[in-house]
Amino acid sequence: MPTQEQRQQTVSAAIRELSHIATLPEITVKIIELVENPKSTATDLNKVISQDPALCSRILKVVNSSFYGLPGQIGSINRAIVMLGLNAVKNIAIAASLVKLFRGGDLTRNFSAKMLWDHSSFVAGVCKLLSDQLKLGLNDEAYLAGLVHDIGVVVEMQFDRNKLVEVAQRLGIDAQGVPAFDMLLAEEEIIGANHQEFGAALCEKWKFPKNFGFVTGFHHKPLELAPDSRVLTSVVYLADRLCGEVKGAYRADLLSLDLDQNVLDLLKVSQDRLKTIREHVVTASKAPGLEMAA
């Protein structure tokens, strides 16, 4: 197994070489900066977004999907911004940028870039659901956290596709999507680091808020974070596994779907509440519009 220093060198090399992936589109950067400025208004955001017809179309498609459940059809970007809020629109813009990265066809018969995108979108929706159900007040942040949690796999895909194919083959994923080997171990042995490390490094490169670096870097082990940094990553941890429970769902990096009771306790999820949430997840898995596919 690689040493910590070797892992860091591998991750740094990947991020350094991926200039085409390590920079968000200019308009997305503008939107992020605008939303983070407390003086910005919906009109300011509308002016920026209106410069990109493709982004306008995507925002209207998403806001009118069953995922948001808003009454009637919304045809105005300004109205969409007002109804959703600046943060939600920012997340849709980031999602529109990210979807272009989740391309590259099949790695193996049971592992593809599209499967990863659909999974990330599903987890994002369930993170939003959990935030709502558990009254965590993290809805917009939770959605984006779910969307980016596996972005490290995309870094691997762009950095060394052949080695990621080797990882996928090592997993021995069956027709139901169940792996026979731990993906993190396979990545470390074959690539030299795992997707958590690649994801955290990319978030740092993109200058995302620290919470997203925690999510990408610790979504398999949220309790290793400092106590005051665990909630959002724990939400993603739970959503990831609940999505993996759905029949036929992507779960390449989840050898086991067992839930850590300490994480459930942290989020104050009782067994009765967990049962209800599971029912919502199954319903969400069948809802059109959740996948936000390109």
Side-chain angles (χ1 to χ4, degrees):
M1 295 295 284
T3 64
Q4 187 61 35
E5 184 179 355
Q6 289 171 329
R7 293 156 81 107
Q8 289 174 349
Q9 289 174 349
T10 299
V11 171
S12 296
I15 299 301
R16 193 166 53 246
E17 289 182 23
L18 296 181
S19 58
H20 62 292
I21 187 178
T23 305
L24 286 172
E26 184 179 352
I27 190 167
T28 307
V29 174
K30 282 184 182 177
I31 290 169
I32 293 171
E33 290 174 349
L34 204 59
V35 172
E36 289 178 354
N37 182 347
K39 295 181 181 178
S40 297
T41 65
T43 302
D44 295 328
L45 190 56
N46 185 38
K47 286 178 183 176
V48 174
I49 292 173
S50 296
Q51 299 170 17
D52 189 330
L55 181 56
C56 288
S57 297
R58 174 164 292 281
I59 288 172
L60 291 177
K61 178 182 177 183
V62 174
V63 76
N64 286 310
S65 73
S66 61
F67 178 66
Y68 279 97
L70 297 176
Q73 287 291 298
I74 295 173
S76 158
I77 287 296
N78 202 53
R79 186 167 173 233
I81 294 170
V82 170
M83 294 197 71
L84 290 175
L86 273 62
N87 268 310
V89 174
K90 175 195 71 176
N91 291 342
I92 292 170
I94 292 174
S97 302
L98 291 179
V99 71
K100 296 172 184 176
L101 305 179
F102 284 78
R103 290 174 177 160
D106 296 349
L107 293 169
T108 66
R109 189 171 64 177
N110 298 314
F111 191 127
S112 70
K114 184 181 186 306
M115 288 177 188
L116 184 63
W117 173 253
D118 289 345
H119 165 70
S120 298
S121 298
F122 188 17
V123 171
V126 173
C127 283
K128 184 175 182 294
L129 169 71
L130 286 170
S131 176
D132 182 50
Q133 289 281 316
L134 303 176
K135 295 179 170 53
L136 298 174
L138 294 170
N139 292 29
D140 294 325
E141 192 177 16
Y143 182 85
L144 186 55
L147 202 62
V148 303
H149 78 284
D150 272 339
I151 193 73
V153 181
V154 178
V155 175
E156 294 172 333
M157 197 177 298
Q158 301 289 340
F159 177 54
D160 197 327
R161 182 183 178 85
N162 290 334
K163 284 188 177 178
L164 186 57
V165 169
E166 194 177 337
V167 168
Q169 292 169 337
R170 178 72 178 276
L171 299 183
I173 300 170
D174 65 20
Q176 282 70 49
V178 182
F181 192 82
D182 187 294
M183 183 171 178
L184 274 70
L185 287 177
E187 290 168 325
E188 289 161 13
E189 291 175 0
I190 295 168
I191 302 175
N194 64 56
H195 66 275
Q196 291 187 130
E197 295 164 299
F198 287 114
L202 186 60
C203 284
E204 184 178 356
K205 177 75 175 181
W206 276 346
K207 294 182 169 55
F208 270 16
K210 284 187 177 179
N211 261 350
F212 295 107
F214 294 151
V215 164
T216 52
F218 291 86
H219 59 276
H220 287 279
K221 47 183 182 180
L223 299 182
E224 291 189 14
L225 288 165
D228 61 351
S229 302
R230 292 174 179 170
V231 174
L232 183 61
T233 305
S234 293
V235 168
V236 175
Y237 166 94
L238 180 55
D240 196 14
R241 279 155 179 74
L242 292 178
C243 290
E245 290 178 359
V246 174
K247 186 177 180 181
Y250 169 98
R251 51 168 290 190
D253 59 343
L254 295 175
L255 188 59
S256 168
L257 295 174
D258 291 345
L259 300 176
D260 188 328
Q261 184 60 47
N262 291 318
V263 173
L264 296 178
D265 291 344
L266 173 71
L267 297 175
K268 296 181 172 59
V269 179
S270 66
Q271 288 305 309
D272 285 344
R273 174 62 64 84
L274 186 59
K275 181 181 178 183
T276 301
I277 290 171
R278 280 190 166 114
E279 291 169 357
H280 283 300
V281 171
V282 171
T283 301
S285 72
K286 300 172 183 175
L290 181 65
E291 74 287 345
M292 287 174 56

